[in-house]
Amino acid sequence: MTVDRGQVLRAAAALLTRKSTASMDEIARAAGISRATLHRQFAGRDALIRALEELCIEQLQGALDGARLEQGDPVEALRRLVAATHPVAGFLAFLYTENQLFEGEEIHEGWARLDARVAALFRRGQEEGAIRLDLTPAWLTEALYGLVAAGAWAVQDGRVAANDMDYMVIELLLGGARRSTDR
């Protein structure tokens, strides 16, 4: 029997975004294969997580490409980016916390490329006067990832409607939590 590695990774991602503590046995069951077959594909959980990370980077790269970050108004580009990341938000949420387990390792090259592109969008927004200057592009990038991850968890737990997530992420990121007194 030939195992479709991509299908196994998609099944693992779907399970781990809902249950980050899932065992290799649970992951194998979700993928419709035996634990032994899973271990032939991935030497252990770390190897599986690294493969998932590569898949996520690939998907996020596609989302960044689709959002056309370099085109048009930077705020509109940011809105397109949040909408484009929505389909992989749960996966990003899982990896955003899972990567903390790999302390001491160098940042993955793929994440660095993604970070650079998102930070460039924020920098462009600052240069064009659309984004505040007192927060660094690196911080805004991390805040974006954190809000997308939090949105994914809130949707997963039923605390936020999926249709509201993009709006809530953008409005909190751009407007902050402070109530406007300009009414």
Side-chain angles (χ1 to χ4, degrees):
M1 173 173 106
T2 304
V3 175
D4 180 347
R5 184 178 169 95
Q7 186 276 329
V8 171
L9 287 172
R10 285 188 296 279
L15 175 62
L16 289 168
T17 57
R18 291 187 319 274
K19 183 180 178 188
S20 62
T21 59
S23 69
M24 292 295 275
D25 283 335
E26 292 171 303
I27 293 167
R29 270 194 305 279
I33 59 175
S34 70
R35 182 184 168 110
T37 301
L38 181 63
H39 276 283
R40 279 193 293 279
Q41 293 289 313
F42 308 100
R45 187 177 175 89
D46 285 356
L48 175 65
I49 298 305
R50 289 296 187 199
L52 288 170
E53 181 180 42
E54 292 295 328
L55 178 62
C56 184
I57 288 168
E58 179 183 307
Q59 291 179 343
L60 287 172
Q61 183 70 43
L64 268 64
D65 291 345
R68 304 173 324 277
L69 300 183
E70 300 78 17
Q71 296 176 13
D73 177 71
V75 171
E76 288 307 311
L78 186 59
R79 290 180 196 284
R80 290 191 305 268
L81 175 59
V82 171
T85 60
H86 191 120
V88 294
F91 195 25
L92 176 62
F94 166 71
L95 287 171
Y96 191 68
T97 55
E98 187 73 17
N99 279 341
Q100 302 305 314
L101 300 177
F102 297 108
E103 290 181 24
E105 293 188 22
E106 292 181 27
I107 186 167
H108 190 283
E109 229 177 88
W111 287 115
R113 284 192 307 273
L114 294 172
D115 291 351
R117 287 185 67 190
V118 175
L121 172 61
F122 284 116
R123 192 171 302 103
R124 182 168 70 88
Q126 289 173 326
E127 291 166 358
E128 294 180 18
I131 304 289
R132 54 192 280 186
L133 297 171
D134 60 327
L135 302 173
T136 67
W139 170 249
L140 291 167
T141 299
E142 289 299 324
L144 173 64
Y145 294 159
L147 287 171
V148 169
W153 290 317
V155 167
Q156 180 179 326
D157 288 345
R159 293 176 285 133
V160 170
N163 291 343
D164 294 338
M165 186 184 117
D166 295 356
Y167 173 80
M168 291 181 174
V169 167
I170 286 292
E171 291 305 310
L172 186 54
L173 182 67
L174 294 177
R178 186 177 355 179
R179 185 175 181 172
S180 175
T181 57
D182 298 336
R183 293 179 185 206

